[in-house]
Amino acid sequence: MLLLYAISLGGLLHPVLAQLSLPTSSWLPPNSSAATQSSNGTSPNSQWVTTLGDLLYFYDAQRSGKLPSNNRVPWRNDSALDDGKDVGLDLTGGFYDAGDYVKYTFPMSFSIMSICLGALASGRGYDLANQTAFLDSTLRWGLDWLMKAHPSPNTFFVEVADGNVDNNYWGGDRTIPTPRPSYQINSTSPGTDAAAQGAAAFAACSALYNNRTLSASSSTSSLQNSSYAALLQGHARDLYSFATGARMQLYQQSVPTAGDAYASSGYMDELAVAAMFLALSETNSNASTYYADSVKWYYSGDLGSLLQAGQETVFNWDSKTPAVPLLGAALANAYPNVVSGSNATLNTWQTALENYFNVFINKNGRSFLTPGGLLYFPGDSDEASLNPALTTAMLMTTYAATGIQSGQMDKYRTYAQGQLNYAMGKNPMNVPYVVGLHPNSPANPHSAISTGWVPPNPSVLAPTNYDTDPPQEAYVLYGGVVGGPDTRDQFWDLRSDWAQNEVALDYNAPLLTLAANALLIGSPDPYYTQVQAGSYAAVRPSGYPCDAAVTTGCKHSGGLSTGAQIAVGVVVGTIGLMLVAGAAYWWWVKKHSGRGKYGY
Ligand SMILES: *[C@@H]1O[C@H](CO)[C@@H](O)[C@H](O)[C@H]1NC(C)=O
Ligand SMILES: *[C@@H]1O[C@H](CO)[C@@H](O)[C@H](O)[C@H]1NC(C)=O
Ligand SMILES: *[C@@H]1O[C@H](CO)[C@@H](O)[C@H](O)[C@H]1NC(C)=O
Ligand SMILES: *[C@@H]1O[C@H](CO)[C@@H](O)[C@H](O)[C@H]1NC(C)=O
Ligand SMILES: *[C@@H]1O[C@H](CO)[C@@H](O)[C@H](O)[C@H]1NC(C)=O
Ligand SMILES: *[C@@H]1O[C@H](CO)[C@@H](O)[C@H](O)[C@H]1NC(C)=O
Ligand SMILES: *[C@@H]1O[C@H](CO)[C@@H](O)[C@H](O)[C@H]1NC(C)=O
Ligand SMILES: *[C@@H]1O[C@H](CO)[C@@H](O)[C@H](O)[C@H]1NC(C)=O
Ligand SMILES: *[C@@H]1O[C@H](CO)[C@@H](O)[C@H](O)[C@H]1NC(C)=O
């Protein structure tokens, strides 16, 4: 371990570690006008290559720190070069979280874990698209920073910059407000969830760089690098030991400001997922020990109940439970020696996972489909509605990619494809919800970095009217997945509406996996090639949305829409259930109100 930290220190001195060499002519997003053409059966499918490439490009646009000489985003500048100085460390680098300039470790590490999870089963899709070098540079940009944020075994930085200050600022990357304080968890002020989530990200990506796979049919991408994998593994083990060895508590108890945006609702799911990824990434006898740990957290945390109809918890930055049975099943399938000796078998996990998926297939839970067909979780989907739908589709698709035998698999594939089609433009708005991909794509992502608004003087932090100043965003934020429409599939494309229009690291992650899988299995064109340019303008709703970001519409809408009434009904029912279940409801409310605060 000392050796590993020595290597890590080397990383500090040379922030850009060697990585796969990028293609000589660097890939750039094409003009969106190309999206209305069929790919004419090219292999790999050229439209899916564009989608995958754009989605990865978004992460380049979100980079913080000193940009490398091969930076692909011409309008981005070096930024936040003093991060960490307040604590005598180099905490430059990493990614800005969303439409703002804060670095939040909890969702950042979740996003990276999610990308590695997807690549463990569908990674060859990146290879087919010649995007593996960009996958590598994206992962390393995040992981190298997470290593800096973990300078000693029991210290982990969970936020850089104060979100409540940063959210008032709407200018570009050269005048980001300072100071940007660094917030940590440590032995005296621990955070079980944040430490375990960090461990999960390191272990998931260590497994990927170590050529482990969740698929029996070998679709791992060609990222193999055993020395980088070992570096990541050292951090994974130490963070897991920190999470399990220190007093167990939510990380926002130690760092309340992080809870203003990303309050965690529990830590058993992070512990179970971290142990599962460690079981996958360890190649020695300790793998079985980590597996047994995961089984222990799963049962002692009663995580199985969260998967049942009526609760059917989402998979997102706060809630990782649905990944536990998926990982358990995939691990038992691909590495049966690791799980032998445990009472939790392939069958245990497969049953739990399929029962969970079947809630969506059978529509017998709290979630419902919007009239246009988007999977909607009351509460969880009220801001960024696409995310829970796409993460569900990503889990189903990843399950299918494991090659595990199941009579249900075709149903899951079809269901996931439906959600993917919706995001790619098969919806009542005719909008593919990825910036810059199609002429109908959102033109007004809620993103300070892309608007091009310039403060008239340093004391003015934001324009009076976000939607009209400037009239057009200065830069196209190619590849950014926006929040998404409301319960009635309505989408306004308003820059001020962070509930519908914000971009974020975690919004892109599931679509990345779905695009890689589409390439892997040779899917036909993404739905957007069939979407007429200009057909959004014809159906764009008048008036205003009614959500947490924009209240204008709520005054004029004359009461709740049918969809909202259904949602309220389901929420009330759910509240009843949850009150019986105990404190879970308060976690839910806190989480829900949490994300709302970080719009601006
Ligand atoms: C593997 O990763 C290490 C550590 O980042 C790096 O020094 C080395 O150049 C990489 N090797 C290849 C072949 O990319
Ligand atoms: C894309 O192409 C169209 C027409 O071919 C052109 O009008 C538009 O300016 C281009 N957009 C960008 C961002 O280059
Ligand atoms: C597919 O073929 C059509 C008809 O020949 C052509 O107009 C279009 O540009 C082609 N698409 C691509 C992506 O080359
Ligand atoms: C990927 O690169 C190979 C080798 O340079 C090339 O033959 C192939 O056409 C490329 N594929 C795509 C989708 O760019
Ligand atoms: C980067 O700097 C250039 C000027 O050098 C400026 O025009 C551009 O807006 C800056 N980018 C951002 C995102 O602020
Ligand atoms: C440990 O973390 C707490 C909470 O972030 C912080 O107040 C304290 O200063 C940290 N301790 C050390 C020794 O840095
Ligand atoms: C990675 O694993 C696959 C089997 O899953 C194997 O075919 C391939 O040769 C391995 N690659 C390396 C570099 O070890
Ligand atoms: C297994 O983990 C223990 C600590 O939990 C460690 O002491 C031991 O060296 C590990 N074994 C291997 C083979 O890595
Ligand atoms: C496995 O054992 C745990 C106790 O360690 C128990 O709670 C659980 O129900 C058992 N699971 C199965 C599938 O038997």
Side-chain angles (χ1 to χ4, degrees):
M1 191 194 72
L2 279 176
L3 173 70
L4 291 182
Y5 277 105
I7 298 172
S8 168
L9 220 72
L12 287 180
L13 299 174
H14 309 283
V16 185
L17 291 174
Q19 56 193 37
L20 290 184
S21 51
L22 297 171
T24 39
S25 58
S26 199
W27 190 92
L28 294 173
N31 185 309
S32 65
S33 60
T36 52
Q37 294 168 14
S38 158
S39 67
N40 299 330
T42 51
S43 180
N45 183 296
S46 60
Q47 292 291 359
W48 281 116
V49 171
T50 299
T51 302
L52 189 75
D54 277 17
L55 292 167
L56 279 172
Y57 184 87
F58 167 75
Y59 289 101
D60 281 17
Q62 295 292 113
R63 285 178 175 189
S64 179
K66 175 148 185 53
L67 301 179
S69 57
N70 60 12
N71 164 42
R72 292 188 291 166
V73 187
W75 46 270
R76 279 301 323 279
N77 307 291
D78 297 348
S79 61
L81 298 177
D82 289 337
D83 282 4
K85 279 199 176 148
D86 60 327
V87 287
L89 291 172
D90 172 9
L91 294 179
T92 62
F95 296 106
Y96 296 126
D97 175 59
D100 53 2
Y101 296 99
V102 187
K103 296 193 288 206
Y104 286 111
T105 303
F106 196 48
M108 192 198 300
S109 56
F110 166 74
S111 304
I112 291 166
M113 176 196 87
S114 170
I115 295 171
C116 287
L117 164 58
L120 279 161
S122 301
R124 207 158 55 80
Y126 294 91
D127 293 353
L128 294 171
N130 286 348
Q131 289 285 331
T132 302
F134 299 112
L135 172 65
D136 184 44
S137 60
T138 296
L139 292 175
R140 283 173 182 257
W141 198 263
L143 291 163
D144 288 353
W145 185 78
L146 289 173
M147 287 193 267
K148 290 180 179 183
H150 185 218
S152 65
N154 292 358
T155 304
F156 195 35
F157 285 86
V158 295
E159 180 176 344
V160 177
D162 180 345
N164 296 315
V165 172
D166 185 274
N167 280 339
N168 298 322
Y169 172 69
W170 196 245
D173 61 9
R174 292 169 303 162
T175 47
I176 299 171
T178 54
R180 292 168 52 85
S182 309
Y183 301 92
Q184 63 174 284
I185 52 172
N186 51 45
S187 304
T188 45
S189 299
T192 316
D193 33 25
Q197 178 55 65
F202 280 124
C205 299
S206 176
L208 182 66
Y209 278 98
N210 225 4
N211 201 29
R212 303 288 272 180
T213 177
L214 291 175
S215 161
S217 60
S218 174
S219 47
T220 305
S221 82
S222 60
L223 279 175
Q224 294 86 13
N225 183 318
S226 53
S227 64
Y228 197 58
L231 200 54
L232 301 176
Q233 188 67 4
H235 285 276
R237 288 179 190 144
D238 288 348
L239 274 172
Y240 183 77
S241 299
F242 175 32
T244 53
R247 183 174 78 255
M248 288 199 178
Q249 63 175 22
L250 302 174
Y251 84 113
Q252 66 265 22
Q253 289 179 245
S254 294
V255 183
T257 184
D260 290 342
Y262 289 103
S264 167
S265 61
Y267 46 72
M268 285 299 192
D269 51 340
E270 283 86 13
L271 287 170
V273 164
M276 206 58 101
F277 274 123
L278 276 154
L280 177 68
S281 58
E282 291 285 343
T283 51
N284 56 40
S285 57
N286 277 358
S288 298
T289 311
Y290 283 118
Y291 180 73
D293 256 21
S294 186
V295 173
K296 180 184 76 184
W297 303 126
Y298 182 79
Y299 286 115
S300 63
D302 194 21
L303 297 180
S305 71
L306 299 175
L307 298 172
Q308 283 161 16
Q311 301 220 34
E312 81 257 25
T313 187
V314 293
F315 179 58
N316 70 10
W317 61 269
D318 179 37
S319 165
K320 289 97 195 189
T321 296
V324 180
L326 170 63
L327 287 169
L331 190 68
N333 183 55
Y335 304 99
N337 59 314
V338 173
V339 314
S340 68
S342 169
N343 73 347
T345 62
L346 173 59
N347 184 53
T348 310
W349 299 120
Q350 200 171 358
T351 303
L353 183 66
E354 295 199 357
N355 285 345
Y356 171 69
F357 286 160
N358 289 343
V359 176
F360 308 113
I361 305 287
N362 300 329
K363 303 191 183 92
N364 62 344
R366 70 185 177 102
S367 54
F368 60 92
L369 291 180
T370 64
L374 179 68
L375 172 62
Y376 199 99
F377 297 78
D380 298 293
S381 303
D382 293 350
E383 293 155 22
S385 59
L386 290 168
N387 187 248
L390 290 176
T391 58
T392 304
M394 174 215 161
L395 294 181
M396 287 181 175
T397 299
T398 299
Y399 181 47
T402 61
I404 294 171
Q405 296 301 306
S406 163
Q408 300 283 86
M409 217 53 107
D410 285 344
K411 284 187 195 164
Y412 304 147
R413 279 199 194 92
T414 305
Y415 192 94
Q417 186 66 45
Q419 298 305 309
L420 176 57
N421 287 347
Y422 188 103
M424 296 277 95
K426 191 173 187 182
N427 58 61
M429 297 287 101
N430 307 313
V431 170
Y433 286 104
V434 182
V435 176
L437 190 56
H438 185 279
N440 291 10
S441 289
N444 291 296
H446 178 95
S447 155
I449 221 164
S450 68
T451 57
W453 180 80
V454 179
N457 68 62
S459 67
V460 182
L461 295 179
T464 315
N465 189 329
Y466 284 69
D467 293 316
T468 55
D469 186 8
Q472 241 196 330
E473 297 212 356
Y475 310 113
V476 180
L477 190 59
Y478 284 105
V481 175
V482 300
D486 70 7
T487 49
R488 294 169 300 152
D489 306 295
Q490 308 273 290
F491 180 73
W492 278 262
D493 197 17
L494 289 173
R495 216 175 294 160
S496 59
D497 187 2
W498 51 259
Q500 293 209 337
N501 274 51
E502 190 153 12
V503 291
L505 302 178
D506 57 325
Y507 299 175
N508 269 52
L511 200 48
L512 204 46
T513 291
L514 291 167
N517 187 264
L519 284 153
L520 177 68
I521 65 176
S523 288
D525 281 354
Y527 188 82
Y528 63 70
T529 59
Q530 300 173 48
V531 175
Q532 287 273 312
S535 57
Y536 168 57
V539 297
R540 183 183 182 277
S542 59
Y544 291 92
C546 175
D547 59 34
V550 182
T551 50
T552 317
C554 304
K555 279 185 230 151
H556 297 293
S557 64
L560 290 174
S561 65
T562 315
Q565 281 168 7
I566 294 169
V568 168
V570 179
V571 171
V572 170
T574 310
I575 288 170
L577 273 178
M578 286 182 141
L579 284 177
V580 174
Y585 172 62
W586 292 108
W587 290 342
W588 179 80
V589 167
K590 191 143 196 284
K591 175 186 77 179
H592 179 56
S593 60
R595 184 114 192 193
K597 274 199 179 172
Y598 92 122
Y600 58 83

